[in-house]
Each structure stands twice: as C-alpha cells, then as structure tokens.
Amino acid sequence: MSAAKKKRTPDENSGKYHKDTFDKISDKKRERIIKISTIEFAEKGFNGANVNVIANKAGISIGSMYNYFSSKEHLFLTIVDEGYKLLEEAFAGADLSNGDIYGKLETIIRVAQKHSRSHPHFVQLYQDITTESLAHLSARLSRKIENISAVFYRHYLNEAKEQGLVDPSIDEHVASFCIDNIIVLMQFSYTSEYYKERLRTFIGEDALEDDDRVIRGMMDFIRHAIGVRK
C-alpha cells in the first residue's frame, strides 16, 4: 500500500498515537499508565508485553485501555514518544553555547550518561526498537529519534573544520555516525545487564563506578579520531 493511500487513524493524523480520551484523564492516572507501560515494555519487549497485564497493574479495565489507545502498537509508540520528550528535555537543558566542539561533545556525553542512569527503562525501549522484531516501525521511529543528533553533529563538525579544530579530510557524515554509535553504546552500558558486563570486560570491574574515566577515555578517542593530523 502506498504512503499516499495508506489510511491513518485520527490520533496519528494529529501527531500523536493516543486518543483524545487519554488527554482528558487526571495527570496522576496518566502518569501511572505511562510508568507501568514503560516498565512492562522495557522488561518484556514489545512482543512479550501484555496490555491486559498493564491494565491490571495500572488498576484500570482493559476496555479503558483501548478507549485510550487503538492498539498495543499505539500504546508502545506513545511510551516511546514520552521517552523521546524526556531525552529532548535533558539536552535542552545542556549549555552548548560556549566552548569548542570537544567541549560540546563532552557535555552531550555527560547528559547522555546521566539520562541513562536516571531513565534506564526508556533506554531499554530504544534497544527493543533496534531489534528486527520491530522492523516494521524502524523507518517511522529511526528518522524521528536519530535525525536531530545527525544534524547536530554534522553542523558542529563543519563549524570545527572552519575553526581548524577538526581534520578537513574528515567525512562529517561518517564521523557523525561513529560518534553517535559510541554514545549509544555507552547508554546501553548503563541499562542492559549484557552491556554492563561488556563494559566491565573492556574497561574493568570498576567501570560502572568511575564515570569520569569512561568520559575521559571517550573524549581522548574522539579527539584523536577527528582532530587535525600533525
């Protein structure tokens, strides 16, 4: 079915995945549903999560859940949107007005590190999005989540080239991809038991207790990777 002919539900047309009824309930009830849904999807994955279980834990009927969300997928997408908003808020509060590209990147890494520790379930949701089981959502979610980072990195890399801080031969598109991958893997390392063990294997048993060492090492690597060759 072509994009032009594909039917969209009213909530998708309005830029959101939940129904208007969800906006009309109390903040406390809405926050409870979001919190419980987030934990369920993070711990069980999209395929393993159960709307009946979520409704029961939230203290509402399954009928009410479907009065708020058209489907399990729309509930999931609503939760992903909430996580995206939290990440946006975290970066919006970061001061990137001063310093060179390396100072800005360090600020971003510190914000990402703190956010991962504060909101591990949302990072786990991101991990689930990257699996093949949710391939049907990849195009929709990847563009939205990744585009801001890609544009940001490319802009500051080009600016740093003009300032003589980054090697002019560096492909800013590939460099942006590599830098973002490093940061994403760091985020996983604070939220996934597998990646936590992986972090300890590569860096040492105290890696999770020594955040500054991890950041210093990442910044040294980035400087050597994109800095001006001498």
Side-chain angles (χ1 to χ4, degrees), residues 32 37 61 110 140 144 150 154 157 161 168 176 188 228:
R32 183 171 72 248
S37 300
S61 68
R110 289 187 181 279
R140 183 189 309 184
K144 177 177 182 178
R154 288 199 297 267
L157 281 167
K161 281 184 180 181
S176 296
F188 289 174
V228 177

Side-chain angles (χ1 to χ4, degrees), residues 164-206:
L165 298 173
V166 167
D167 192 284
S169 67
I170 291 290
D171 184 324
E172 64 272 15
H173 295 268
V174 176
S176 296
F177 178 68
C178 292
I179 290 170
D180 196 59
N181 280 347
I182 292 171
I183 295 174
V184 167
L185 283 175
M186 179 200 68
Q187 289 178 284
F188 289 174
S189 298
Y190 294 108
T191 58
S192 160
E193 290 305 316
Y194 177 87
Y195 281 98
K196 285 179 183 178
E197 288 305 316
R198 188 173 180 273
L199 184 69
R200 293 188 184 101
T201 298
F202 279 92
I203 299 179
E205 289 300 317
D206 65 340

